[in-house]
Structure formats: C-alpha cells, structure tokens
Amino acid sequence: MAILIKNGRVITADSDSICDILTEGETIAAIGRNLPAPADAQVIDATGKLVLPGGIDPHVHLDMPFMGTFSSDTHETGTRAALHGGTTTVIDFVLQKQGHSLREALTEWQGRATGTAVGDYSFHMAVTDFNPGTREEIKDMVAEGITSFKTFMAYKGALMIDDAQMVGLMQEVRKHGGLVTAHATNGDLIDTLIAQHRAAGQLTPRYHYLSQPEVTEAEASGRFADIANYTGVNAYIVHLTCEGALNQVRRATERNQRVFVETCIQYLLLDASLYGEDFEGAKWVMSPPLREPKDQATLWAGINQGLVQVVGTDHCPFRWEQKQMGRDDFSKIPNGHPAIEHRMELLFSEGVMKGRISPQRFVEVTSTNAAKIFGMFPRKGTISIGADADLVLIDPKKKHTISAATHHMNVDYSAYEGHELTGKITTVLLRGQVAVDAGETKVGRGYGQFIKRGKVSF
Ligand code: URP
Ligand code: ZN
Ligand code: ZN
C-alpha cells in the first residue's frame, strides 16, 4: 500500500518547503518535488494545506481508576478522538498501587489497552510506592520500553511519594538511563488548605483553585529540580502552569541543569476566571488548577525561550455525572478535564494563526520534542525517510467551532464549547494508513500499537 501526498507545505522542526511525500507500507519512502506515483498508490492532493508530523501527546489518562471512579475515555475512545485531532501517539500513565508491584500495574493496563487502542500509544510508569522490590523492577520496565517514571508530589495516601522515595527512585532510574517526571505540587500544603476551606464551609469548585496557589507548585518544582540536580537524573515537570514554577526551572538553568518542561493547552488558553461561585467550575477542576493571565504570558514566552518544550493535555475526562461526586464538597470532584482531541487545532489557531509561535515551534512542542525526550525519535516526531508515516494535513484557513455535540471524546461536555478556531485538520495518516479523513475514522479498534521507547535523545 502506497500513498503519495502531493504539493503540501511540509513542515518539520527544522524545515519548511512545498514538496511531495511517498509512503510505502508503514513508513515514509521518499520526500521530494514531483515524485512519480507508483501504479498502486493512492494520491492525496495537499495543495494549500500544511503537512506536519503526527502529534504526540505525552500526558493522557485513559480508563484510569482515580478518586473513586474511572476516567471516561477508554484506550479505544481516547485514541480515536486523539486521531481526529491529529495526535497519532499518546503516552498514558500506568499507576502502581501502593503495596503492589509495577508489574501488576503494567499487566492491568496492558489488559485494557492491548487490542483496543485505535491510535499508537506507550506507557509511563507512575511509581507510587518506591521500596526495595520496586527498585528491582526499574530495569525490567526499561527493558519493556517504559523508560519514563512518573512521580506525584501530591495526592497523599493514594499516589504521593516522599522525598526519600524520590531520591531513591531517581538514583535507580539514572543507573538505567531513564527519565523521572513529576506532578510537582506540595501535597502537604495543599491538603492543609483543603482542610481549612472545608472546615470553614467553603465547598464550591472555586475552593479547589484556592487550595492550590502558585506557591504550592513553585516550591515543589524547585525541590524536584534540586533533587534531580543532586542525583543527576533526566528530569521533566508535567503540566507546569505558572510563573513561579517556571522561574524555578530558569534558576536550574543557571547551574547548567536542564529540566524539561511540559505545559498543557488549557494553561495557555484558559484562566481561573472560569471558577465562579456555582458548580459550573467543576468542568475545569484539575490539578494544578487554571491560573492567571500573567501565567499564560509566562508560558507563551517560555515556549519561545525554549524553556517549555512540550504542550500536552493531561487529558483526564469525567462525565458531568461523575463530576457530581463533588457537588457538596470540591475535594471530591474527580480531578481532570477532556482535551485530547483539540490540542493541535487549539494551539494552531491560537498560537500559529495569531502569530504567537512559528509553525516550526508548533511542530516542536506538539510532536518532535516529545519524541526526542521520550525516546521515540526519529521513528516518531518528524517527517524523514524511514520514519513512521504519521502525518497530519491541516487546512490553515478553514474555520470551525468546538462543541461536545460533534467531538469524539467520551464525555458530555467540552472545556472549549463554542470556541471558534481557524485551521482544521482534514486528513491524518498513522503508520501509512489513512486513519481519519473528512471527519470519518478509517482505522478500527486494535489498529493502535504499543510503542517501545528508548532513552532521551534531546
Ligand atoms: O487533574 C488532573 N490533573 N487529573 C489527572 C491526574 C494528574 O494529576 O495528572
Ligand atoms: Zn498531575
Ligand atoms: Zn496527569
């Protein structure tokens, strides 16, 4: 099976030219001008369109047990929705259960994802209980192609590890050439503020936001960077939201330390004014919460300064009915919101079309940098001969409006209802197959493959 994409404006992290791309089987076979079409090739005319590497979202939670329920997108529905939005590969989080092994958790997640995912996926391993047994398992996970280890510095009693465990994990992961990532917020401080608000009868979603002020994230980001610097491990902060936290990363660069930073699309585009006095704000109850316009400005600048390398989603959807678990107490609202489908179009419209970032920067933060940091480059994250033929065609002028009525995520509200965007993804290829075309899914349940990952190559 061959596909010839003709006359598109092909953009990678380091090139921008009008040319053709020929795919053969699952990979890219040729790139050039006026490529002849093989007899059996399907020809796609990309005149007037941009052709980009398939998106990589390294922060999604699919079918994840959390706060007494499960995130509502399965590996099937979540990766299908991702494909509609140009994200061809996602990295999902396996959660170790405290008192249990990493292997048990991996087996559980494999049971949910294998044979069901529509798009490609990989796993991070979230270490929630670092002990001598866990230490022994780190090398086994690396051998499985799981080279990134997530830590939670919050959610005490469920997911949080303390600094002693953090040091031990970092030392072990460093030995095996892996990467440690962190949900970097101060869990004890947050829990204290939550308790104070509840004691005062302050129970609406807005108090979720007020329980996680900037200092909770800045402190933990600095501490994480310091411990990583001491141990020498590759370090990555997930869903960084604010100026105070980014300043801690800036401080780390002054001692020549590199801490990778991911922000998420919602922190660039939405702000805390969405937390009003009623329950509606539950739609955006996530951790960390939405921040202030000054933080958005810092994050956009951070992208252009190269301090923020990745824009993910932290996709962790809950249906409105699930959000009701916290109707009378914000601390019981399942944390998370839906975003997997619209990350690329939102960032394209608000970033590229509004002149905040260049098309190349867009490719870097939506695809290439994640591929390099998480050990998938150059198989994923670029357009080059031999790479997987994961390609996204965007019509840069086409306008459309986001709505829960038309999205593919398994959730009955949209965090961006009514947002009007410029730039529509028209066609998506995954490993040489047309996966989405004109709004229709062309590949089925089970087409998605688990991607074994290697070491950081950034
Ligand atoms: O609110 C969030 N972020 N939910 C998912 C779990 C996490 O902290 O990433
Ligand atoms: Zn988190
Ligand atoms: Zn998350």
Side-chain angles (χ1 to χ4, degrees), residues 59 61 64 66-67 93 95 150 152 155 159 183 208 212 238-239 266-267 284-289 313-316 318 323 334-337:
H59 193 149
H61 302 276
M64 182 179 84
F66 189 52
M67 296 185 72
F93 291 89
L95 301 186
K150 167 82 175 283
F152 290 92
Y155 303 121
L159 303 173
H183 170 126
H208 168 82
Q212 300 201 31
V238 306
H239 57 38
Q266 61 273 21
Y267 301 119
W284 299 278
V285 163
M286 63 186 82
S287 293
T313 60
D314 194 9
H315 176 74
C316 190
F318 297 99
K323 289 278 185 181
N335 286 200
H337 88 311

Side-chain angles (χ1 to χ4, degrees), residues 20-66:
D20 305 338
I21 301 172
L22 178 67
T23 75
E24 269 172 16
E26 297 203 339
T27 57
I28 295 173
I31 303 168
R33 299 223 171 181
N34 303 318
L35 293 180
D40 63 337
Q42 175 185 350
V43 178
I44 298 175
D45 179 10
T47 307
K49 294 191 177 141
L50 309 189
V51 184
L52 313 174
I56 298 172
D57 186 345
H59 193 149
V60 307
H61 302 276
L62 301 174
D63 215 353
M64 182 179 84
F66 189 52

Side-chain angles (χ1 to χ4, degrees), residues 11 108 113 125 146 163 239 249 284 338 342 353 391 405 431:
I11 300 178
E108 188 184 328
M125 177 56 70
I146 299 172
D163 291 349
H239 57 38
V249 173
W284 299 278
H342 297 117
M353 295 309 284
L391 299 164
R431 281 180 288 102

Side-chain angles (χ1 to χ4, degrees), residues 179-190:
L179 174 77
V180 173
T181 77
H183 170 126
T185 63
N186 183 320
D188 284 328
L189 185 43
I190 292 168

Side-chain angles (χ1 to χ4, degrees), residues 158-218:
L159 303 173
M160 177 170 152
I161 60 168
D162 62 21
D163 291 349
Q165 294 182 76
M166 181 71 88
V167 177
L169 173 67
M170 284 184 172
Q171 288 171 332
E172 190 61 21
V173 170
R174 180 174 185 235
K175 272 203 241 165
H176 301 285
L179 174 77
V180 173
T181 77
H183 170 126
T185 63
N186 183 320
D188 284 328
L189 185 43
I190 292 168
D191 288 348
T192 302
L193 297 179
I194 291 174
Q196 287 175 358
H197 288 306
R198 293 177 75 204
Q202 295 165 328
L203 298 170
T204 58
R206 182 169 162 74
Y207 290 96
H208 168 82
Y209 153 66
L210 292 171
S211 298
Q212 300 201 31
E214 183 169 13
V215 62
T216 60
E217 195 179 332

